[in-house]
Amino acid sequence: MGTNYPKPAVRRLKVYAFDPQASVTLSTAMANDYVIELPWEQRWEAPLEKGPVNDYVEVIDVDPAAGLVYAPVDLNDPWLRDGGLDPSEGRPQFHQQMVFAVVMRTIRAFERALGRVVLWARDEQISWRDTALTPVERNFTPRLRIYPHALREANAYYSPAKRALLFGYFKPDQDAADVQASWVFTCLSQDIVAHETTHAILHGMRQRSIEPSGIDAAAFHEGFADIVALLQHFSMTPVVRQLLAASNGSLREAGLLTGLAEQFGRAIGRSKSLRYALEALGDRAAAPADGSAASITAAIRTLGATTEPHARGGFLVAAVFDAFVTIYERRTEDLLRLARPGLVPGNGLSPDLVGRLASEAATAADQVMRMCVRALDYLPPAGVKFGEYLRAIITADTDLVRDDPLRYRVAFVEAFKRWGITVPGCISMAPDSLLWDAPRLEDYPDILRHAETDAKAPLADPADALSMLFTDMLSRLKFGVTFEAADKGDAAYSMGDNGHRNLRDLAMQVVVHNQRAIHDWLEGRVTDSADWERLLGLRLMPLADRQDDGCRPLLSIEGSLGDRRRKPQPRFEVHSARISRRTGPDGFEMHLLIAEVVQRRRGYFDKEEQAAADRGDKKVIGDIRWTTPDFWFRGGATLHVDLRDGRLLRILRKRIDDDDRLERERAFRSGETTGEPAAAPHPNEPFAFIHRGI
């Protein structure tokens, strides 16, 4: 009888902490060795295969420029069970190991913050409403593909069309004398890999986020991806300990901890990292400003004049990193006060103190990272702005962390102000003033009246009315799929290639079911009252039945005739339906349904065409222009519903009938705002264009 040995708790994989450049620089070589620990595959997950390939990702090492296909690494080989391959620039199998390890590490960080599994984007060309399609044909992407040697150029990007990460390699610039490598591989930069993975995760969560809807859209994608890459530096505690000792505990100095992709930056001819968290932006100094009114005004002016996505996203990075450093300094100021009498003469900080500082930096970075990631669920479904992201951070943190003794939220607000990011329309920049408002249910009398009719009794609290309605909606949802139910369904969907049940695919099936259930429930509720339109920020009532309610009918919204028994009515989409369960530091639990309801409206650069389309005058527009407008303008709402009692906690709207917002988006897309059209030459590959040569 064989012996059953216990399975290891983690799989250890060696990586470069930063990139190969740090290993050939004497001052940083000791800090560049790191081991990523990933949870070993559980019994409900498919075993790790050569590639590596697991339930989340698939590494495919095809090198088109060299005409080669490299043999896949087998991390289950007995010789690789303890740490995998040693770091090597010249071994493709180590490249495969490193991208896999960093991608999975980034995915796990998101899942801890979100309280749910990460899912990749689905195919926009296939409608989840088509019940004739099998679950596979609905085309959620089961695995993100990773190509470590996809192209021979100074570029790396996430491809929304391919659902893949493509990493390039190139020869350093002739002026880059200090880059001691014949070839630079972007897949060996932990910062670049984490950055591109974040693009893929963000696209999966917010599929419309890659559309050029405004000046902050692409900048938010780039800035947020940099934030994740930077904050993940501080989870490498042994590395942080060494670098903090060299900087005497400071995080306000340029260096490996505060920079991104040093080897890449030097290889393309710069004398430093590709980007720094607090580097000079325009005429601003590298250190944050003093917060005076004049300084904030100058920062706002500089931000307003910055349009290139990476440069504009740098303001968001600087604001978040500034808040993180402030929090770190606040958490460690007592340690430094106590340690000053006992500093080691001539040697700076004592090793014990450096260890404590590194631990505090890791804790602060993890908390800030969670704040930033959780905020993604608190954004409106279209047209994100930096100020809205600040509101999302403050609201999401207030919901879960009710006590804020170290004033993290104040640190965020002050940092955003210092870097010129404000929130127009709010009474003040105090954290409580930035919270997203709860809906005023008394403003929707028809909804309340219908709820009372259903209850057959008056309701003392208006919130109880919507609670009753949304409880009915929740009763139609699925919160998991049993194995028995899965086995009765599509075998190819519920079982992986190796015969194992793929629980990620089952999670996708639940999402599809919930999107359809929410859509059907809303469709049955919203066509009899304009209150639902005002609540959701959409146009929903049958167009033929619309009465003059003081608002112009928007016939340019995509319509659906349905069958002959139904009157024409605008279409809408339940873009996502996510279940999130989170626990705060005091044990407080949140159980949320987060649903995005989205609608699209025809947009035209010519204002006369726009007016004709809004009147529904297809003769003026023509069939082709009606079917393919210049752009689609999107609106809708993000709903937060408490799973325990159906209470509508919050609704974040971007109204589809907001003509001022439509005008701003038209100006941005046409180039009036920035001086050049916003649409990239290859709209399906926006990151390939943005990242080239950056």
Side-chain angles (χ1 to χ4, degrees), residues 481-491 494-495 499 501 506 509:
V481 176
T482 64
F483 285 152
E484 292 78 8
D487 291 341
K488 293 177 182 177
D490 188 326
S494 61
M495 307 293 283
R501 293 182 178 89
L506 295 179
Q509 194 173 17

Side-chain angles (χ1 to χ4, degrees), residues 206 208 379-383 388 522 532-540 557 571-575 595-601 633-639 650-658 661:
R206 301 176 56 81
R208 308 296 188 197
L379 289 170
E388 292 170 343
L522 284 173
W532 282 100
E533 294 189 328
R534 293 189 295 111
L535 180 69
L536 299 175
L538 307 178
R539 285 294 185 181
L540 301 165
I557 292 172
R571 293 178 60 185
F572 67 93
E573 174 192 26
V574 178
H575 181 60
E596 292 183 0
V597 187
V598 181
Q599 194 169 56
R600 66 181 189 175
R601 172 182 173 187
F633 176 71
R634 301 190 189 276
T638 301
L639 289 77
R650 194 168 289 105
I651 185 161
L652 314 175
R653 282 182 296 260
K654 282 293 181 75
R655 299 194 63 86
I656 194 68
D657 57 3
D658 187 339
R661 188 167 66 88

Side-chain angles (χ1 to χ4, degrees), residues 106-251:
T106 306
I107 290 170
R108 298 301 187 189
F110 270 82
E111 290 185 337
R112 286 195 303 271
L114 292 170
R116 62 177 182 273
V117 68
V118 162
L119 300 176
W120 310 117
R122 62 178 172 83
D123 193 329
E124 284 291 328
Q125 303 305 315
I126 297 179
S127 172
W128 56 266
R129 296 187 67 197
D130 190 342
T131 56
L133 296 176
T134 67
V136 171
E137 290 170 326
R138 292 190 188 100
N139 206 18
F140 273 99
T141 305
R143 295 186 182 97
L144 179 72
R145 293 185 172 183
I146 306 172
Y147 297 88
H149 308 101
L151 55 156
R152 190 176 289 179
E153 64 175 79
N155 199 358
Y157 63 92
Y158 163 64
S159 168
K162 297 181 178 69
R163 306 291 193 273
L165 306 183
L166 289 82
F167 295 96
Y169 64 98
F170 62 99
K171 286 184 175 292
D173 190 279
Q174 293 181 352
D175 298 329
D178 59 344
V179 176
Q180 301 177 33
S182 300
W183 293 92
V184 173
F185 296 92
T186 60
C187 66
L188 296 183
S189 168
Q190 188 162 168
D191 295 332
I192 292 175
V193 176
H195 178 104
E196 303 308 333
T197 306
T198 301
H199 280 312
I201 295 172
L202 185 53
H203 184 223
M205 290 181 62
R206 301 176 56 81
Q207 199 148 337
R208 308 296 188 197
S209 62
I210 65 172
E211 296 181 354
S213 57
I215 195 171
D216 283 346
F220 178 77
H221 242 286
E222 296 302 328
F224 183 77
D226 276 355
I227 288 167
V228 171
L230 277 165
L231 291 176
Q232 288 202 147
H233 287 178
F234 297 92
S235 64
M236 301 183 292
T237 305
V239 176
V240 175
R241 186 183 298 116
Q242 295 182 51
L243 296 177
L244 281 180
S247 67
N248 286 322
S250 173
L251 292 180

Side-chain angles (χ1 to χ4, degrees), residues 49-61:
E49 300 176 8
K50 293 180 181 180
V53 177
N54 68 0
D55 283 351
Y56 288 84
V57 301
E58 179 179 9
V59 179
I60 303 172
D61 207 352

Side-chain angles (χ1 to χ4, degrees), residues 518-536:
I518 294 170
H519 185 280
D520 292 346
W521 184 85
L522 284 173
E523 195 171 43
R525 288 279 179 181
V526 302
T527 58
D528 57 355
S529 170
D531 274 4
W532 282 100
E533 294 189 328
R534 293 189 295 111
L535 180 69
L536 299 175

Side-chain angles (χ1 to χ4, degrees), residues 551-616:
C551 297
R552 179 179 55 189
L554 297 176
L555 301 184
S556 61
I557 292 172
E558 186 179 32
S560 174
L561 294 178
D563 58 43
R564 293 182 179 180
R565 295 170 297 174
R566 299 180 60 183
K567 299 173 182 177
Q569 66 186 76
R571 293 178 60 185
F572 67 93
E573 174 192 26
V574 178
H575 181 60
S576 64
R578 307 185 290 269
I579 303 298
S580 181
R581 296 177 175 88
R582 301 169 184 167
T583 303
D586 62 352
F588 175 72
E589 294 185 351
M590 292 189 66
H591 301 263
L592 286 181
L593 166 69
I594 304 158
E596 292 183 0
V597 187
V598 181
Q599 194 169 56
R600 66 181 189 175
R601 172 182 173 187
R602 293 173 179 84
Y604 298 88
F605 295 135
D606 185 281
K607 294 184 180 180
E608 292 185 1
E609 281 189 305
Q610 185 69 59
D614 286 344
R615 293 193 306 268

